[in-house]
Amino acid sequence: MTNSSQPVHPSDFIPESWVMETMIIGNGGLVIRHEFDEPSELAIPALTHHLIGVNIGQHSTRQVTRLGKQEYDGINPTGSLWLATADNTPGEWAWDTTDETIMFQIDPLYFQEIAAENGCANSERLELKPVVFDRNPQFESIARNYHAEMQQQGLGGKLYSESLGNLFMLNLLRTYCQERPQPQQVNGGLGEKRLKLVL
């Protein structure tokens, strides 16, 4: 349990013994870990990075998650997820069985960079919303694909992992922003009809 009032890095409160494999994308902007999280209770004042946990275990367990004023106390079925944001939101978790999890750690600056690269207006102001419980087939699929890649490390693994990372980040932008991202308005340049003619 962490008692500091300062935001903490995820690696400071997740025991190394829980981590089976790790993948690093975008120079550390996105870190994916395969974990076996032993029964425990964790409490943090705030996080330095966004953190998403996706349960890939084969059985439902009880999960208690508190993020700010939100709380979930119930089963933690395969494919369920929570999202803790990098802000001043305190978080608490408790569970009584060993959970197999794919954990996604996102640097907030990397999140803004990806948003800008994909044409989001005001990318530096985009904020994610805390989620104590959700079921999302896209995120479950990406988590399972990362898990499989960590096990087999097939041909073109780096490219494949980076492609999955881009897919993950785009789904994050589309699904869990406080406000729907808006495309940047482009002034000048060729109109659509002229561009088609040139092409």
Side-chain angles (χ1 to χ4, degrees):
M1 184 174 291
T2 305
N3 295 317
S4 169
S5 60
Q6 295 295 317
V8 295
H9 192 281
S11 62
D12 292 338
F13 70 91
I14 296 176
E16 286 185 22
S17 61
W18 293 1
V19 181
M20 301 296 106
E21 293 96 14
T22 302
M23 280 190 170
I24 298 172
I25 309 294
N27 295 320
L30 173 63
V31 177
I32 304 100
R33 294 190 301 270
H34 174 218
E35 300 179 5
F36 281 97
D37 303 331
E38 297 175 4
S40 190
E41 294 182 9
L42 296 172
I44 54 163
L47 280 167
T48 58
H49 290 62
H50 306 304
L51 199 60
I52 297 179
V54 181
N55 178 25
I56 62 167
Q58 296 304 309
H59 58 280
S60 296
T61 63
R62 182 182 173 210
Q63 174 88 36
V64 179
T65 302
R66 296 185 188 93
L67 297 172
K69 295 180 180 179
Q70 295 185 63
E71 179 175 335
Y72 175 77
D73 184 344
I75 63 168
N76 184 32
T78 300
S80 63
L81 66 83
W82 50 261
L83 190 170
T85 55
D87 52 26
N88 294 319
T89 303
E92 294 179 38
W93 295 265
W95 63 101
D96 54 12
T97 56
T98 298
D99 292 346
E100 186 174 10
T101 306
I102 298 296
M103 199 73 69
F104 296 89
Q105 172 188 304
I106 307 111
D107 186 318
L109 293 177
Y110 183 70
F111 174 72
Q112 293 174 352
E113 179 183 318
I114 294 295
E117 287 177 1
N118 284 280
C120 293
N122 300 319
S123 57
E124 71 283 355
R125 296 181 190 164
L126 282 179
E127 295 181 4
L128 293 172
K129 57 186 176 186
V131 178
V132 292
F133 177 85
D134 197 15
R135 302 290 299 275
N136 187 302
Q138 286 84 12
F139 281 86
E140 180 182 1
S141 176
I142 292 168
R144 290 196 178 282
N145 283 326
Y146 266 121
H147 178 248
E149 185 62 23
M150 288 174 179
Q151 305 307 305
Q152 64 190 19
Q153 298 181 356
L155 179 68
K158 186 174 186 294
L159 177 61
Y160 183 75
S161 298
E162 289 176 351
S163 297
L164 276 178
N166 287 330
L167 188 61
F168 170 82
M169 295 300 294
L170 284 172
N171 274 288
L172 190 62
L173 279 164
R174 290 178 174 185
T175 311
Y176 294 120
C177 283
Q178 293 279 13
E179 297 181 8
R180 186 180 179 89
Q182 299 298 317
Q184 285 182 334
Q185 298 298 319
V186 179
N187 296 320
L190 294 174
E192 187 175 345
K193 288 183 179 179
R194 287 187 177 181
L195 178 59
K196 284 181 178 178
L197 181 62
V198 170
L199 292 174

